[in-house]
Amino acid sequence: MMKEQISIVDMFKIGIGPSSSHTLGPWRAAQRFAAGLAQRGILTDTESVKVLLYGSLAKTGIGHGTDIAVLLGLSGDDPVTFPVDDVQPKANRIKRHQLLLLGGIHEIPFEYATDLMLLYAESLPFHPNAMTFQALLADGKAISETYYSIGGGFVIQEGNEAQLTEEVDLPFPVQSAHDLLGWCIRTGLAISDLVLENEQAWRPETETNEHVCQLFTAIRTCVYRGCHTEGTLPGGLGVARRAHQLNKKLTAGRTYHDYDSWIAAIRAGGNQFPYILDWVSCFALAVNEENAAFGRVVTAPTNGAAGVIPAVLHYFIVFHDGLNETKIRQFIAVASEIGSIFKKGATISAAMGGCQAEIGVSAAMAAGALAECLGGSQRQVLMAAEIAMEHHLGLTCDPIGGLVQIPCIERNTMGAVKAITAAQLALQSNPDKAKVSLDTVVKTMWETAQDMHVKYKETADGGLAVQLPLSLPEC
């Protein structure tokens, strides 16, 4: 695998659901294409644009909102700030009027049925999530660029595959868990402290702290909104939101008026095991119901697995009194580093590795982060991450209808519970006696991904996706 440098800013991105690789990635690619036309001074000379979606993006693209993401990205809209309530209405206006405001400034005709092509039978060799943008200019010249959405919202342009992020001189370069542990032993630093030292090679400490605050604001807003929104999820499966009713039942009439008083109301309910378990599920459901409804989420490390880390973080916040900036920053830093180890040594793309690359990685990230925040040693943190992934190995990606709903939403609750269990088990264990290292499980996960049949990798061609009558992809 190629060597990478991955920052917290890269690993955790604020965006719009339902998929980091099928929605956020294509959105960013379309943005970059339009911005590139503007930078070259040829945007206003563009007469038409065509979009070609290959392989996995074609097969489950409509269910994952790839078409919508591309339209908004070409329009110059940003997923961090674009109003979530206008995502589908704006896409519908473009389709209805057959006009697109390229880069937000230049109107061109765009016929959805012919200018956005779903190439189901074609795949490009570098990655299953490939897309090509073609612009025809007034002088007859054509511009063509191909991009790959490689998971977690990461996007690379063909011809520039080797350089994902700006290379900096890191004080503690890490490509594996072995590297990470080695630096911790030599310096005596906790994993979170080592990560935050590395972050200063990219930006001042104040900027990193500000970014983490923005991430947490997005997470808490998503969790709170998801727990207070009723209705049925879009897409045609008729999946009803459950977090709202569960929240209402669990708060049992206790009054609150905002996030902070809501947390207090939850704490007032006690700490019985079934009660805690229900809340962990509720937090995860809330995020992934928002994700499925084109809500704003934080990729952690992907959108399909966006509920695991918020659920485990809120378990820590509510039931371990962890609502303070230092602890939240510690949690995010550790989770980011573990996620980066999986991305460097394997994949975080379900199109490449199945759901083990999403829920499995998110559970490992959350388990390690929780273990450190609960006082675990560096070895116990890595052990927690290893345990969490070990019990997700081989997990397939088989979304019914090509939608990030069944089994994806419930799967986040399972991942969160496994993460908490893994952290607790690691904290009660001697990691020196562990038989399997985190690096071993990363290697195994990648080998499993390579052996896994393509129909179990986010194509909706296998597993649950073909077992139910209502599972025809929305294409």
Side-chain angles (χ1 to χ4, degrees):
M1 304 296 291
M2 67 180 71
K3 287 191 174 183
E4 300 178 50
Q5 294 182 334
I6 300 174
S7 164
I8 291 174
V9 173
D10 303 314
M11 183 55 61
F12 290 104
K13 305 177 183 70
I14 300 172
I16 288 175
S19 170
S20 52
S21 58
H22 285 58
T23 316
L24 181 58
W27 190 321
R28 289 298 190 195
Q31 261 188 306
R32 283 173 56 177
F33 179 70
L37 295 176
Q39 290 169 2
R40 283 178 281 182
I42 55 176
L43 186 141
T44 55
D45 295 328
T46 302
E47 292 190 337
S48 65
V49 169
K50 286 189 178 294
V51 182
L52 287 66
L53 302 179
Y54 300 91
S56 181
L57 289 184
K59 290 181 178 180
T60 60
I62 304 302
H64 286 62
T66 306
D67 56 334
I68 293 174
V70 165
L71 294 179
L72 297 182
L74 289 173
S75 300
D77 297 313
D78 193 291
V80 176
T81 58
F82 188 78
V84 294
D85 293 334
D86 197 34
V87 169
Q88 290 182 305
K90 180 164 184 177
N92 289 337
R93 291 194 296 272
I94 294 171
K95 295 177 187 178
R96 184 170 60 252
H97 298 299
Q98 298 185 21
L99 293 171
L100 188 148
L101 197 62
L102 186 63
I105 60 174
H106 177 56
E107 189 172 81
I108 60 172
F110 190 91
E111 189 172 342
Y112 177 84
T114 58
D115 290 334
L116 192 144
M117 303 172 63
L118 303 173
L119 306 176
Y120 305 110
E122 297 184 38
S123 292
L124 300 187
F126 181 75
H127 195 280
N129 293 335
M131 70 207 93
T132 298
F133 299 95
Q134 299 173 340
L136 181 64
L137 307 182
D139 61 6
K141 293 181 180 179
I143 303 293
S144 179
E145 293 180 358
T146 296
Y147 294 83
Y148 301 96
S149 179
I150 61 173
F154 288 88
V155 175
I156 56 178
Q157 186 177 348
E158 188 171 70
N160 193 31
E161 292 90 342
Q163 189 63 46
L164 297 178
T165 57
E166 180 186 355
E167 188 170 344
V168 296
D169 186 15
L170 297 175
F172 309 112
V174 172
Q175 291 295 317
S176 66
H178 180 269
D179 294 340
L180 178 60
L181 183 59
W183 285 119
C184 289
I185 291 172
R186 273 175 271 180
T187 64
L189 291 173
I191 290 176
S192 60
D193 291 332
L194 188 143
V195 172
L196 293 171
E197 286 289 330
N198 272 344
E199 291 297 313
Q200 293 189 59
W202 278 290
R203 71 196 73 82
E205 181 181 359
T206 54
E207 291 185 17
T208 297
N209 293 345
E210 182 180 350
H211 180 73
V212 172
C213 286
Q214 291 172 349
L215 290 174
F216 180 62
T217 297
I219 287 172
R220 63 187 277 175
T221 299
C222 182
V223 171
Y224 190 81
R225 176 173 167 141
C227 283
H228 296 84
T229 303
E230 296 182 90
T232 301
L233 298 175
L237 293 183
V239 175
R241 286 178 179 253
R242 285 181 283 176
H244 175 272
Q245 287 300 320
L246 187 52
N247 172 70
K248 186 176 180 180
K249 177 181 178 181
L250 293 173
T251 51
R254 292 187 293 276
T255 59
Y256 56 88
H257 58 275
D258 59 13
Y259 175 84
D260 290 332
S261 59
W262 179 57
I263 295 299
I266 297 172
R267 286 177 179 158
N271 59 1
Q272 295 298 307
F273 180 73
Y275 180 75
I276 293 174
L277 193 61
D278 281 342
W279 271 115
V280 171
S281 294
C282 188
F283 298 143
L285 289 173
V287 172
N288 285 86
E289 287 170 357
E290 281 295 288
N291 181 63
F294 293 94
R296 183 163 286 112
V297 301
V298 173
T299 59
T302 67
N303 284 26
V308 175
I309 285 173
V312 176
L313 176 57
H314 274 80
Y315 160 77
F316 176 67
I317 285 171
V318 175
F319 299 105
H320 292 275
D321 199 23
L323 187 55
N324 70 74
E325 289 185 10
T326 300
K327 283 293 186 180
I328 290 168
R329 186 161 55 249
Q330 181 182 8
F331 191 102
I332 294 295
V334 175
S336 174
E337 190 65 27
I338 292 170
S340 74
I341 288 171
F342 276 98
K343 187 178 186 303
K344 293 166 184 174
T347 182
I348 58 171
S349 166
M352 289 288 283
C355 199
Q356 60 174 355
E358 295 203 25
I359 293 293
V361 173
S362 65
M365 294 166 68
L370 180 62
E372 182 175 302
C373 287
L374 292 178
S377 68
Q378 299 97 325
R379 291 181 185 273
Q380 287 174 320
V381 169
L382 298 181
M383 186 181 187
E386 179 277 317
I387 293 170
M389 172 52 81
E390 184 177 335
H391 301 288
H392 282 93
L393 289 173
L395 188 62
T396 62
C397 183
D398 48 359
I400 293 178
L403 298 163
V404 192
Q405 297 180 20
I406 303 173
C408 318
I409 295 173
E410 285 184 355
R411 195 167 277 177
N412 278 263
T413 70
M414 300 297 104
V417 172
K418 282 187 179 182
I420 295 170
T421 303
Q424 287 298 131
L425 188 56
L427 291 172
Q428 300 303 322
S429 301
N430 180 355
D432 292 335
K433 295 183 178 181
K435 301 299 183 183
V436 181
S437 70
L438 179 56
D439 284 333
T440 298
V441 87
V442 171
K443 181 175 183 288
T444 303
M445 181 262 212
W446 179 233
E447 291 175 350
T448 304
Q450 292 174 302
D451 290 340
M452 189 181 290
H453 195 286
V454 67
K455 71 181 181 180
Y456 298 119
K457 297 180 182 181
E458 206 170 24
T459 59
D461 289 336
L464 285 176
V466 298
Q467 296 302 321
L468 301 181
L470 45 69
S471 65
L472 294 175
E474 291 200 323
C475 300

